[in-house]
Amino acid sequence: MRYFKSLFLSLPLVYGIGIQTISAQRAVEYDRYFVDKTIRVDYVFSGDEKTSQICLDDLSALPHWAGRRHNLNKLPIAGNGQITMTDKATGDTIYRTSFSTLFQEWQTEPEAQTTARAFENTYLLPYPKEASMVTVELRNKYHQVVASYQHEINPSDILIHQRGNTHISEHRYLVQSGSYQNCIDVVIMAEGYTEAEKSTFYQDAERTTKALFAHKPFCEMKDKFNIIAVWTPSQDSDVSVPRNGAWKNTAVGSHFDTFYSDRYLTTRQLKRIHNWLAGIPYEHIIIIANTEVYGGGGIYNAFTLTTAHHKDFEPVVVHEFGHSFAGLGDEYAYSAEPSAQYPYEIEPWEQNITTLVHFDSKWKDMLPPHTAIPTPISNDPKKVYTKVGVYEGAGYSKKGIYRPAEDCRMRTNAAPDFCPVCQRAIQRLIRFHIEQL
């Protein structure tokens, strides 16, 4: 969806909409169903504008599980796709997660009207002790399931690749708050850095870390994170810019001009990303590109990818991580028409934008008494980033979609921080990862 591009115009406990509440079920104990390993599942999502298919590509075993050990059978947020793992013998739901994809965004592009394409997608699941069933669902902008696929994971299957036991990428901890079992583990990867530029990468990874923890609530919850810089060298320096005829041989094969949008920097080589990381405990990915060209992208539960040497690198990488880590939506608007991603009659699942269809599930509880809806712009510099309201213009549409504050890190590069609603959403997700709720 277009919010993945997230390049700003400035050059109760509720986790999602439309998800089933399963809080009445007993909590799943990690040690009962899983061992301390990861099953990496590679899928291919394919189709065109009107069709979607899911195929299993490969299974790999990784030597650690760095994901959450609490709230295993709950969804953090709805996403545009969901994965459910059940114990084959009992049918009990033992793990759930959600995601969004570049494939689903591509389906809104003109090319999808005449062409079918396939996209790699990779997800990390806890390694089951016994045979388990995994169901993958893709959902459209109306939150309707448009593709579903189920397959079995047999933990004793001899054809599950064993990865990460040898040839582990060089890496160093920039923040180490605790063990991988008890912290949220974020890797920072190099893209477009040659061997001669290794020291530059590590300096840029430090800058990335400082930028992230300069923002609330990350700075207030820094002790919940491990940050790991992973050296992933490229043969060529810089990254590919197709409009200039410049194609580079880089670590994860990223390029600008995704979907013919100049500033949209992404990669479709997701298996390559995860192959570099095998053997390192991780669950969230930031990729920094060795270029001065402005751009980037962030896809929920996939990756953040942005350029390290543009002057706006710091605010952009934090913004993109708001997408990939917390599933936050873009709060800017550039069209008077409804966007292709957000029908006015459907409440978005992102926690920081609303169509008011189910506003009770968003930040209604944070509104000051007698707040007007829509909320008029105050232009008070003391309140621009902190006064919670319902401001029209978000999700790329100037009408019918609303944001929580006049400005926010999810809206412009100039905003000094996330607005209070985004801060709460991020804080909730951090707690979801590390606490039993």
Side-chain angles (χ1 to χ4, degrees):
M1 285 93 211
R2 186 85 41 190
Y3 58 82
F4 298 156
K5 297 181 181 178
S6 62
L7 300 174
F8 325 143
L9 294 184
S10 68
L11 253 344
L13 181 66
V14 178
Y15 288 102
I17 300 299
I19 64 176
Q20 294 181 344
T21 301
I22 58 173
S23 58
Q25 296 185 12
R26 61 177 173 78
V28 171
E29 297 178 6
Y30 184 89
D31 292 337
R32 177 178 178 181
Y33 290 101
F34 303 105
V35 297
D36 186 24
K37 293 170 60 177
T38 293
I39 185 78
R40 183 187 119 184
V41 189
D42 300 330
Y43 297 107
V44 175
F45 298 161
S46 63
D48 53 26
E49 179 188 34
K50 296 180 179 179
T51 63
S52 301
Q53 295 88 35
I54 302 169
C55 292
L56 177 65
D57 183 12
D58 211 352
L59 298 175
S60 300
L62 307 178
H64 312 285
W65 171 247
R68 69 183 191 269
R69 294 173 183 248
H70 307 288
N71 310 306
L72 294 171
N73 57 349
K74 300 178 184 178
L75 279 178
I77 49 181
N80 291 310
Q82 298 176 9
I83 298 176
T84 301
M85 178 184 285
T86 60
D87 180 69
K88 184 178 179 180
T90 65
D92 292 341
T93 297
I94 57 177
Y95 185 75
R96 299 185 80 191
T97 191
S98 55
F99 58 84
S100 293
T101 72
L102 197 62
F103 166 66
Q104 290 164 298
E105 179 183 358
W106 171 81
Q107 288 181 300
T108 69
E109 297 292 321
E111 185 185 44
Q113 298 174 14
T114 58
T115 304
R117 282 190 178 272
F119 289 71
E120 295 179 359
N121 290 272
T122 293
Y123 302 103
L124 307 178
L125 308 176
Y127 203 99
K129 290 182 176 180
E130 305 293 340
S132 299
M133 302 303 297
V134 175
T135 302
V136 187
E137 295 178 343
L138 300 180
R139 300 179 176 230
N140 63 16
K141 62 185 178 181
Y142 298 101
H143 304 167
Q144 299 164 332
V145 176
V146 293
S148 181
Y149 177 75
Q150 186 177 74
H151 64 94
E152 180 176 345
I153 293 179
N154 181 345
S156 61
D157 185 348
I158 62 172
L159 294 183
I160 296 176
H161 288 277
Q162 304 297 308
R163 301 184 188 272
N165 298 305
T166 59
H167 307 296
I168 299 172
S169 297
E170 176 187 322
H171 60 282
R172 65 178 67 165
Y173 278 80
L174 305 183
V175 174
Q176 190 165 17
S177 299
S179 68
Y180 65 83
Q181 296 98 328
N182 298 317
C183 291
I184 298 171
D185 299 272
V186 181
V187 291
I188 301 174
M189 298 179 64
E191 169 68 339
Y193 294 80
T194 64
E195 285 287 351
E197 297 168 310
K198 181 190 291 190
S199 62
T200 301
F201 162 68
Y202 280 117
Q203 293 169 9
D204 291 342
E206 291 278 7
R207 291 171 53 225
T208 302
T209 303
K210 290 179 181 178
L212 182 63
F213 290 114
H215 291 75
K216 296 179 181 179
F218 294 113
C219 60
E220 300 169 331
M221 306 181 80
K222 186 176 181 180
D223 63 340
K224 311 302 182 186
F225 285 86
N226 292 329
I227 309 294
I228 311 159
V230 182
W231 174 235
T232 49
S234 296
Q235 180 175 321
D236 295 332
S237 183
D238 214 311
V239 295
S240 298
V241 186
R243 63 183 176 274
N244 296 334
W247 287 95
K248 304 285 186 175
N249 186 347
T250 57
V252 302
S254 71
H255 63 83
F256 287 92
D257 303 305
T258 300
F259 309 150
Y260 303 98
S261 176
D262 288 358
R263 298 182 299 181
Y264 200 7
L265 175 66
T266 68
T267 177
R268 291 171 57 187
Q269 308 299 316
L270 271 71
K271 290 197 294 184
R272 192 190 299 189
I273 292 173
H274 289 269
N275 286 345
W276 280 111
L277 298 174
I280 301 170
Y282 73 101
E283 52 186 316
H284 297 282
I285 301 168
I286 297 173
I287 307 167
I288 53 176
N290 180 30
T291 180
E292 296 179 355
V293 180
Y294 181 64
I299 302 174
Y300 169 54
N301 208 14
F303 59 79
T304 279
L305 174 55
T306 192
T307 61
H309 298 144
H310 187 273
K311 64 180 179 63
D312 289 327
F313 164 67
E314 285 85 356
V316 171
V317 72
V318 176
H319 173 101
E320 301 298 352
F321 195 63
H323 288 309
S324 70
F325 174 74
L328 297 174
D330 279 320
E331 295 180 9
Y332 55 79
Y334 48 73
S335 173
E337 301 298 321
S339 72
Q341 291 76 36
Y342 302 113
Y344 291 154
E345 66 271 27
I346 300 296
E347 184 65 39
W349 56 263
E350 296 89 339
Q351 293 299 290
N352 62 321
I353 60 176
T354 182
T355 55
L356 300 178
V357 173
H358 293 295
F359 186 46
D360 286 353
S361 69
K362 295 301 178 68
W363 63 90
K364 186 176 182 179
D365 61 312
M366 297 178 69
L367 293 180
H370 312 299
T371 298
I373 301 177
T375 307
I377 299 295
S378 69
N379 293 317
D380 183 342
K382 296 181 180 180
K383 299 180 179 180
V384 168
Y385 310 108
T386 59
K387 182 183 177 183
V388 176
V390 186
Y391 300 91
E392 194 164 28
Y396 321 114
S397 180
K398 295 179 181 179
K399 299 291 183 181
I401 306 178
Y402 304 85
R403 64 187 189 275
E406 294 180 46
D407 203 0
C408 172
R409 170 60 66 240
M410 297 310 297
R411 185 166 185 263
T412 69
N413 288 334
D417 216 331
F418 293 103
C419 71
V421 170
C422 288
Q423 289 187 35
R424 183 175 73 168
I426 295 169
Q427 185 182 58
R428 282 176 165 176
L429 200 60
I430 293 171
R431 290 180 55 223
F432 184 86
H433 278 273
I434 61 175
E435 301 176 12
Q436 183 64 55
L437 301 174

